[in-house]
């Protein structure tokens, strides 16, 4: 039942956002979209507390897997996002959100799924760490190249947004993990709950703000996100297999490629001032990838 709690709460908050959007759009006269970036920073701090500099050692220990994984991460999903946005003929800002999801690094969810799938967890953690570290440069670069025709993209502003949302909080979390891990036990215990609650609230706020756009293209957007996610798994797996990697590493790269840091994409959409349009694809993609990732990880776990 615990494994079903998160998707159930996501569905609940999405239902509330559709039926009573005003509840999630403004609190005490303050637009709730202003809470998204601080919430993401808290979540990223939590990610940092679960990491250490050892997570980057995998670059030296398994360079081939890391190189192939990063290459797949920053080619397959961005170009898939661009192709799907073109194919579905989404409005410009919706299309830009799709490309933004594809251009984002992998997130912590892929590490969890790699663990559940009995894949190469060390490779997964290192890939997430390295792609996150590269994101301030590569994500704005890809967005300028592939999404520049849909929305204006300021490279330096987007780079600084990613540093603020991801790099600085994770760095603080790494320092906390190094010097204070275990000394504040109540914080260690509540951080996962805060992270889960933050993600649920972010999905609700974005859904409420983008309700009208979702009502117009909701079914198409869901279908496109399913294709984006599913093809990411498929192409990631077979690209790794064609490169001669072992089965566990192929599964890991499939999960890393198919599961994006949709929270980061949502935060960038907020910083761009386009939460109700650019932010829609990340809001739909995030819950879908968690469901599909859980199913795929369970399948691979049983087969292994």
């Amino acid at each position: 039942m615990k494994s079903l709690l998160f998707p159930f709460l996501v569905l609940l908050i999405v239902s509330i956002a559709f039926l009573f959007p005003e509840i999630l759009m403004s609190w005490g006269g303050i637009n709730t979209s202003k809470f998204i970036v601080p919430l993401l920073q808290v979540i990223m701090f939590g990610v940092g507390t679960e990491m250490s500099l050892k997570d980057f050692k995998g670059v030296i220990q398994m360079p081939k897997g890391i190189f192939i994984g990063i290459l797949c991460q920053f080619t397959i999903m961005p170009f898939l996002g661009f192709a799907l946005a073109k194919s579905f003929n989404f409005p410009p800002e919706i299309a830009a959100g799709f490309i933004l999801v594809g251009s984002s690094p992998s997130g912590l969810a892929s590490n969890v799924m790699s663990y559940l799938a009995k894949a190469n967890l060390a490779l997964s953690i290192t890939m997430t760490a390295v792609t996150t570290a590269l994101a301030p440069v590569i994500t704005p670069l890809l967005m300028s190249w592939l999404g520049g025709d849909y929305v204006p993209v300021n490279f330096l502003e987007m780079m600084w947004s990613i540093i603020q949302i991801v790099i600085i909080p994770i760095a603080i979390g790494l320092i906390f993990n190094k010097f204070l891990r275990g000394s504040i036990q109540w914080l260690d215990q509540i951080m996962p709950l805060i992270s889960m609650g933050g993600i649920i609230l972010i999905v609700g706020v974005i859904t409420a703000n983008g309700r009208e756009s979702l009502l117009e293209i909701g079914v198409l957007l869901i279908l496109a996100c399913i294709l984006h996610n599913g093809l990411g798994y498929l192409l990631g797996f077979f690209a790794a297999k064609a490169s001669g990697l072992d089965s566990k590493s192929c599964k890991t790269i499939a999960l890393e490629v198919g599961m994006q840091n949709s929270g980061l994409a949502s935060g960038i959409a907020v910083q761009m001032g386009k939460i109700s349009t650019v932010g829609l694809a990340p809001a739909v993609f995030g819950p879908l990838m968690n469901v599909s990732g859980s199913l795929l990880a369970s399948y691979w776990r049983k087969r292994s």
Side-chain angles (χ1 to χ4, degrees):
M1 292 299 290
K2 281 184 179 180
S3 63
L4 298 174
L5 179 61
F6 181 74
F8 170 76
L9 291 175
V10 168
L11 288 173
L12 179 62
I13 200 77
V14 167
S15 301
I16 293 169
F18 266 103
L19 295 172
F20 312 104
E22 63 282 352
I23 295 175
L24 290 165
M25 292 180 70
S26 178
W27 293 345
I30 301 172
N31 192 319
T32 49
S33 63
K34 295 182 183 297
F35 300 128
I36 290 179
V37 170
L39 277 171
L40 283 168
Q41 289 170 326
V42 171
I43 292 166
M44 290 301 116
F45 167 77
V47 171
T49 63
E50 298 296 326
M51 295 173 66
S52 71
L53 293 177
K54 292 178 183 177
D55 296 331
F56 293 88
K57 286 185 178 178
V59 178
I60 300 168
Q61 295 168 341
M62 39 192 165
K64 181 181 178 181
I66 294 297
F67 175 76
I68 292 166
I70 292 171
L71 189 64
C72 290
Q73 175 70 44
F74 286 122
T75 54
I76 290 172
M77 292 304 273
F79 287 102
L80 267 179
F82 177 79
L84 287 166
K86 282 277 189 186
S87 301
F88 281 83
N89 197 27
F90 288 130
E93 292 187 0
I94 305 291
F98 230 87
I99 296 166
L100 180 57
V101 171
S103 303
S104 297
S106 54
L108 190 62
S110 59
N111 303 156
V112 177
M113 300 312 167
S114 292
Y115 170 74
L116 293 175
K118 293 185 177 180
N120 188 336
L121 184 58
L123 175 61
S124 175
I125 292 169
T126 305
M127 266 192 68
T128 299
V130 174
T131 56
T132 300
L134 293 173
V137 174
I138 295 184
T139 298
L141 190 65
L142 288 168
M143 275 301 293
S144 299
W145 181 23
L146 300 174
D149 290 339
Y150 294 110
V151 291
V153 178
N154 186 308
F155 181 91
L156 291 177
E157 282 185 8
M158 188 173 288
M159 182 178 180
W160 176 235
S161 293
I162 296 171
I163 291 170
Q164 285 179 300
I165 295 169
V166 177
I167 303 300
I168 293 174
I170 286 181
I172 295 170
L174 283 167
I175 295 168
F176 178 91
N177 187 29
K178 175 72 174 175
F179 297 105
L180 297 171
R181 182 72 174 173
S183 61
I184 310 176
Q185 291 189 359
W186 62 268
L187 185 61
D188 296 339
Q189 292 169 356
I190 66 167
M191 276 310 301
L193 294 174
I194 291 173
S195 297
M196 186 172 76
I199 292 167
I200 291 166
L201 182 58
I202 289 167
V203 170
V205 169
I206 294 173
T207 303
N209 279 275
R211 178 177 178 270
E212 299 307 315
S213 297
L214 275 171
L215 287 172
E216 289 179 19
I217 60 164
V219 174
L220 285 178
L221 189 60
I222 291 169
L223 177 59
C225 283
I226 291 171
L227 286 171
H228 199 188
N229 177 226
L231 288 171
Y233 294 141
L234 190 69
L235 294 175
F237 182 88
F238 284 106
K241 194 172 183 66
S243 302
L245 295 179
D246 62 274
S247 178
K248 283 190 173 185
S249 296
C250 291
K251 292 173 185 176
T252 299
I253 289 175
L255 290 165
E256 288 292 315
V257 172
M259 303 187 76
Q260 301 293 86
N261 191 337
S262 56
L264 171 61
S266 299
I268 294 172
V270 173
Q271 298 285 60
M272 293 172 72
K274 300 181 184 295
I275 183 178
S276 60
T277 50
V278 176
L280 285 183
V284 173
F285 188 93
L288 282 174
M289 76 169 186
N290 279 291
V291 173
S292 65
S294 299
L295 292 172
L296 183 58
S298 297
Y299 171 73
W300 274 336
R301 185 182 182 87
K302 287 176 183 175
R303 287 201 65 182
S304 65

